[in-house]
């Protein structure tokens, strides 16, 4: 049992020290601040014209956000919103939405 | 994209008179279309009269000097940490630009007429013969007191997300959804017949809802906005009040037919004759009466439910009254007064003021909470202001009408919940930053905050289930769910998804708690 706990904690340390590992929890917090107004924290409003993100492919979400950020994909609204996101934010947000059941 | 189509069509319609007449006709017609667009998208929160309601007033005076570009982007993206949704892609860019112009050039409009004649015309009947409806709930439930109703606003305050959602508070499962056209705001339950509930929307429509078959049977539009609605102890009358226009009306609770309208005006505590918004309206188990607070006139009127509905006026209650709760078998009424930060206790038997009790900054008592602790009847009052960062929840002894304690909490609060069987009084922190995600729990005995729950969204309107075993909280705004906690362990028990949930109303309240009834009923 002790050994198990030790292994788990080691794993956790190595997991969290990896700067590229995305966190769905951090993604949820960021999504609540940045994305949920339009796309919903789970689903967009039944009345909203915005696409749902739940269960979308993680790489697609990351790529889209990066393109919005560097303006290779044009959108009045998304270019502004994505401009404030770091690489880590983008990974976390994608991780969060991709894990949601659509 | 129906809105866009309508707009193009109306633009076409507008250009016809232009061909026939002068440019001024075009301007008039254009502003008429903009008013329609305003009515369909903005008015239920910002007021049909441009005078504000849940959201700020939008008129030439309030928006003077504001940058049109900033207003345009605010409409596009919505405003975070408020209920303002993004209108990007819902309205076209030219509509948004025209709307900004329209808002900055339109003065606050005069109070429109909305009298018994207009109300009668608005009466809609969805179920012709109510006697053919099922005579018992069409779903499994131990007691109708276990029903909890949630006012789901929907992100846009109208349309598909706007509905009253009813939940079995023992299983935490949704038992019915009743669409309400615009955002549901208040749900009242008929104390005499458990099958009926009444839902009032932001656009002042009142729906009579059959809880057994979970559908609206009738509706009537009683004004343009205003949250006030109360029901008499015999379940025969409703009284409904408006901010716009300044009136209130008594309805037959069975047919929703309007019976008598009241013009709300009176002399305020500073000696001025004023026309007044309707504050809270409350029925009481104590007598066949309604009490109504006249917000601006600072008066409480007691209406006797007999021939002619005579009124007793109680003056000088406070400056800018709002909501209230009952105690002592419905005999004592505690009325919140915003501008002088007091809660005024009224004896409904003598119809006189008992005492003005100090509250915190801008008291907003919500559904109210009264609970017996060690032989004393304690009332808990929330305060939504944040004067000098001094934010407290007021605790009064309602037997002696003395302040027991002003309990420090982490921000402004607007709605408390207490229950005889639950150890904590829950209050919602509404200060607009990360604190808005939380509710705080005050220990009934120590009168100190013992726990803060991170609910998510804009967490507000806590409410206990009828048995006091569960605490329901709305993760509102973009939180999009109702979260249920075990009332003792405070462990999360369930999440119930819905769009922008707000007020939570337990049917148990008609029996156990304060709005409409008092905790004495437990004995």
């Amino acid at each position: 049992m002790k050994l198990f706990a030790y292994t788990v904690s080691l794993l956790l340390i190595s997991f969290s020290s990896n700067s590229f590992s995305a966190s769905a929890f951090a993604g949820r917090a960021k999504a609540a601040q940045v994305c949920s107004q339009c796309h919903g924290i789970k689903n967009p409003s039944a009345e909203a014209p915005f696409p749902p993100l739940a269960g979308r492919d993680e790489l697609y979400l990351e790529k889209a956000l990066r393109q919005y950020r560097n303006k290779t994909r044009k959108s009045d609204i998304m270019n502004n919103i994505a401009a404030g996101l770091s690489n880590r934010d983008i990974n976390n947000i994608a991780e969060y939405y991709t894990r949601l059941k659509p | 994209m129906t809105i866009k189509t309508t707009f193009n069509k109306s633009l076409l319609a507008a250009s016809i008179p232009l061909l026939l007449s002068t440019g001024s006709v075009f301007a008039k017609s254009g502003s008429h279309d903009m008013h329609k667009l305003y009515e369909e998208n903005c008015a239920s929160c910002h007021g049909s009269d441009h005078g504000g309601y849940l959201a700020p007033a939008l008129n030439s005076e309030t928006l003077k000097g504001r940058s049109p570009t900033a207003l345009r982007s605010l409409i596009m993206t919505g405003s975070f940490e408020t209920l303002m949704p993004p209108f990007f892609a819902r309205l076209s860019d030219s509509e948004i630009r025209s709307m900004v112009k329209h808002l900055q050039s339109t003065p606050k409009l005069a109070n429109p007429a909305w009298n018994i004649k207009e109300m009668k015309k608005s009466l809609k009947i969805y179920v012709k013969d109510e006697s053919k409806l099922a005579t018992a709930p069409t779903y499994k439930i131990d007691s109708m007191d276990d029903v909890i109703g949630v006012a789901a606003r929907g992100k846009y305050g109208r349309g598909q997300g706007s509905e009253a959602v009813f939940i079995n508070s023992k299983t935490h499962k949704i038992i019915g959804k009743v669409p309400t056209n615009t955002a549901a705001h208040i749900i009242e339950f008929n104390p005499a017949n458990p099958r009926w509930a009444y839902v009032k929307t932001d656009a002042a429509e009142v729906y009579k809802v059959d809880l057994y078959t979970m559908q609206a049977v009738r509706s009537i539009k009683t004004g343009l906005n205003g949250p006030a609605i109360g029901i008499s102890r015999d379940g025969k009358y409703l009284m409904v009040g408006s901010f716009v226009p300044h009136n209130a009306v008594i309805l037959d609770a069975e047919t929703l037919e309007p019976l008598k309208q009241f013009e709300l005006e009176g002399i305020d505590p500073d000696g001025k004759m004023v026309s007044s918004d309707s504050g809270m309206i409350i029925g009481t188990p104590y007598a066949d009466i309604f009490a109504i607070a006249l917000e601006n006139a600072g008066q409480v009127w007691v209406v006797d439910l007999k021939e002619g509905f005579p009124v007793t006026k109680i003056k000088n209650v406070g400056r800018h009254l709002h909501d209230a709760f009952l105690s002592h078998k419905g005999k004592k009424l505690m009325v919140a007064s915003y501008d002088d930060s007091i809660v005024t206790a009224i004896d409904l038997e003598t119809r006189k003021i008992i005492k003005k009790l100090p509250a915190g900054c801008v008291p907003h008592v919500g559904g109210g909470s009264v609970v017996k602790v060690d032989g004393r009847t304690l009332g808990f009052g929330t305060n939504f202001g944040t004067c000098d960062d001094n934010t407290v929840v007021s605790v009064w002894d309602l037997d002696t009408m003395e302040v027991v304690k002003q309990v420090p909490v982490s921000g402004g609060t607007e709605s408390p919940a207490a229950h005889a069987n639950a150890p904590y009084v829950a209050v919602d922190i509404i200060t607009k930053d990360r604190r808005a995600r939380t509710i705080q729990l005050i220990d009934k005995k120590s009168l100190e905050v013992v726990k803060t729950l991170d609910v998510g969204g804009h967490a507000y309107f806590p409410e206990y289930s009828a048995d006091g075993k569960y605490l329901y909280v709305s993760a509102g705004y973009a939180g999009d769910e109702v979260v249920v906690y075990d009332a003792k362990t405070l462990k999360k028990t369930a999440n119930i998804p819905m769009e922008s949930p707000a007020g939570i109303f337990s049917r148990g309240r008609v029996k156990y708690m304060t709005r409409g009834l008092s905790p004495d009923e437990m004995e």
Side-chain angles (χ1 to χ4, degrees):
Chain A
M1 197 59 216
K2 236 178 187 173
L3 184 71
F4 175 70
Y6 181 65
T7 325
V8 168
S9 59
L10 252 189
L11 273 173
L12 279 176
I13 290 163
S14 59
F15 187 70
S16 57
S17 64
N18 179 348
S19 62
F20 292 100
S21 71
S23 155
F25 292 106
R28 187 188 158 93
K30 200 73 193 171
Q33 288 166 19
V34 181
C35 320
S36 65
Q37 184 84 347
C38 297
H39 296 281
I41 192 66
K42 290 190 175 120
N43 296 295
S45 162
E47 290 282 311
F50 306 105
L53 303 179
R56 299 293 287 272
D57 181 70
E58 189 175 1
L59 289 178
Y60 165 76
L61 289 173
E62 285 179 12
K63 191 175 153 199
L65 281 171
R66 290 211 169 86
Q67 287 173 334
Y68 282 131
R69 189 175 61 179
N70 67 25
K71 299 192 173 56
T72 49
R73 185 168 169 180
K74 294 251 187 279
S75 157
D76 282 347
I77 196 153
M78 281 308 294
N79 291 150
N80 282 329
I81 288 167
L85 297 175
S86 67
N87 284 341
R88 180 181 282 257
D89 291 336
I90 288 176
N91 293 350
N92 291 346
I93 289 168
E95 173 81 6
Y96 168 67
Y97 277 113
T98 198
R99 284 188 180 200
L100 283 181
K101 279 193 197 123
Chain B
M1 282 288 85
T2 39
I3 292 166
K4 202 165 185 179
T5 338
T6 329
F7 183 70
N8 287 342
K9 266 187 203 151
S10 49
L11 204 68
L12 186 69
S15 60
I16 294 167
L18 181 71
L19 294 172
L20 301 172
S21 183
T22 61
S24 68
V25 177
F26 176 73
K28 255 189 204 157
S29 177
S31 91
H32 176 76
D33 294 336
M34 288 320 292
H35 187 70
K36 190 158 174 283
L37 201 64
Y38 178 82
E39 279 290 326
E40 285 165 1
N41 290 280
C42 324
S44 64
C45 292
H46 294 281
S48 265
D49 63 346
H50 291 248
Y53 177 38
L54 304 177
L58 301 176
N59 57 57
S60 50
E61 193 55 40
T62 58
L63 297 177
K64 196 188 260 172
R66 292 280 293 272
S67 144
T69 315
L71 291 172
R72 178 176 151 245
S73 68
L74 197 151
I75 296 172
M76 267 168 60
T77 59
S79 172
F80 282 63
E81 293 177 354
T82 75
L83 285 167
M84 174 75 181
F87 283 91
F88 178 81
R90 207 176 139 89
L91 297 180
S92 72
D93 190 48
S94 70
E95 283 172 319
I96 293 175
R97 285 169 192 272
S98 310
M99 180 58 75
V100 170
K101 259 186 218 152
H102 175 69
L103 297 176
Q104 292 197 295
S105 60
T106 308
K108 181 183 175 304
L109 309 178
N111 248 347
W114 195 267
N115 297 315
I116 283 197
K117 206 174 78 192
E118 282 86 7
M119 291 180 206
K120 278 189 174 157
K121 253 193 248 165
S122 75
L123 183 69
K124 290 189 185 118
I125 298 167
Y126 311 110
V127 174
K128 278 213 180 89
D129 187 357
E130 293 175 9
S131 70
K132 287 191 179 138
L133 293 169
T135 53
T138 51
Y139 44 88
K140 216 175 152 268
I141 194 158
D142 296 345
S143 155
M144 288 305 283
D145 287 344
D146 293 334
V147 173
I148 271 188
V150 184
R153 300 187 47 78
K155 280 286 165 54
Y156 292 89
R158 58 177 58 240
Q160 285 183 60
S162 301
E163 53 196 7
V165 179
F166 295 95
I167 298 164
N168 179 338
S169 63
K170 277 194 179 136
T171 62
H172 319 305
K173 298 274 187 271
I174 292 176
I175 47 180
K177 292 179 177 183
V178 178
T180 51
N181 184 34
T182 55
H185 195 136
I186 304 282
I187 302 171
E188 277 280 341
F189 295 94
N190 190 313
N193 185 341
R195 84 174 301 160
W196 304 119
Y198 301 88
V199 181
K200 190 174 188 198
T201 70
D202 279 349
E205 297 131 328
V206 174
Y207 287 82
K208 180 188 179 193
V209 172
D210 177 27
L211 295 175
Y212 288 176
T213 61
M214 286 294 167
Q215 61 182 320
V217 295
R218 284 166 177 251
S219 73
I220 188 167
K221 187 167 167 62
T222 56
L224 293 157
N225 63 28
I229 179 168
I231 186 158
S232 62
R233 66 173 176 177
D234 58 10
K236 287 187 179 155
Y237 300 101
L238 292 168
M239 190 168 180
V240 188
S242 301
F243 286 179
V244 183
H246 290 158
N247 60 32
V249 63
I250 291 182
L251 307 175
D252 180 319
E254 193 187 331
T255 62
L256 300 186
E257 295 274 351
L259 301 175
K260 185 178 180 183
Q261 188 185 313
F262 300 80
E263 288 301 323
L264 303 179
E265 55 182 20
I267 293 167
D268 73 10
D270 300 312
K272 267 197 299 202
M273 183 71 179
V274 293
S275 176
S276 180
D277 291 352
S278 165
M280 68 83 211
I281 296 179
I282 208 161
T284 161
Y286 160 68
D288 294 314
I289 55 172
F290 280 120
I292 169 170
L294 275 65
E295 298 222 348
N296 317 73
Q299 301 186 1
V300 168
W301 292 3
V302 180
V303 183
D304 282 293
L305 297 175
K306 58 185 188 194
E307 188 61 37
F309 302 113
V311 171
T312 309
K313 296 178 182 177
I314 303 167
K315 293 176 185 163
N316 294 320
V317 175
R319 291 178 177 81
H320 201 162
L321 309 180
H322 186 63
D323 47 8
F325 62 94
L326 293 165
S327 177
H328 293 76
K329 298 194 158 103
K331 208 185 270 190
K332 292 180 184 178
L333 178 69
M334 309 294 294
V335 187
S337 171
Y338 281 171
D339 293 354
D340 30 23
S341 288
I342 54 164
V343 166
T344 302
I346 289 175
D347 184 334
L348 288 175
E349 188 174 22
T350 60
R351 302 186 178 186
K352 288 202 166 77
I353 293 171
I354 304 169
K355 198 170 178 183
K356 295 184 178 180
L357 294 168
C361 175
V362 196
H364 180 285
V365 294
S369 61
V370 181
V371 74
K372 282 222 164 129
V373 183
D374 300 332
R376 293 197 292 185
T377 311
L378 298 185
F380 290 78
T382 37
N383 300 287
F384 72 15
T386 48
C387 333
D388 309 325
D389 278 336
N390 178 25
T391 50
V392 293
V393 167
S394 311
V395 186
W396 307 286
D397 182 326
L398 301 180
D399 302 319
T400 60
M401 290 297 170
E402 298 292 339
V403 176
V404 174
K405 190 174 176 185
Q406 304 282 7
V407 181
V409 289
S410 70
T413 50
E414 69 176 1
S415 189
H419 194 285
N421 300 339
Y424 309 113
V425 177
V427 296
D428 49 355
I429 308 297
I430 57 156
T431 303
K432 290 202 186 301
D433 54 31
R434 282 190 63 80
R435 285 174 283 176
R437 300 170 52 88
T438 62
I439 64 161
Q440 291 200 305
L441 295 141
I442 298 168
D443 184 280
K444 279 199 298 206
K445 289 191 187 273
S446 72
L447 300 182
E448 275 171 24
V449 171
V450 289
K451 176 111 182 168
T452 303
L453 294 174
D454 185 16
V455 181
H458 178 95
Y460 57 170
F461 300 116
E463 174 79 311
Y464 282 105
S465 58
D467 56 14
K469 285 186 181 156
Y470 299 102
L471 178 65
Y472 277 63
V473 186
S474 279
Y477 294 11
D480 285 350
E481 61 182 12
V482 167
V483 185
V484 187
Y485 295 89
D486 181 295
K488 286 204 171 81
T489 64
L490 302 176
K491 290 250 160 43
K492 207 182 268 194
T493 311
N495 307 58
I496 306 156
M498 66 187 79
E499 233 182 81
S500 190
I504 304 184
F505 307 85
S506 164
R507 187 175 193 280
R509 248 182 210 252
V510 304
K511 236 185 193 156
Y512 307 113
M513 288 186 254
T514 48
R515 198 185 143 80
L517 286 190
S518 71
D520 318 275
E521 293 295 308
M522 292 291 282
E523 288 156 13

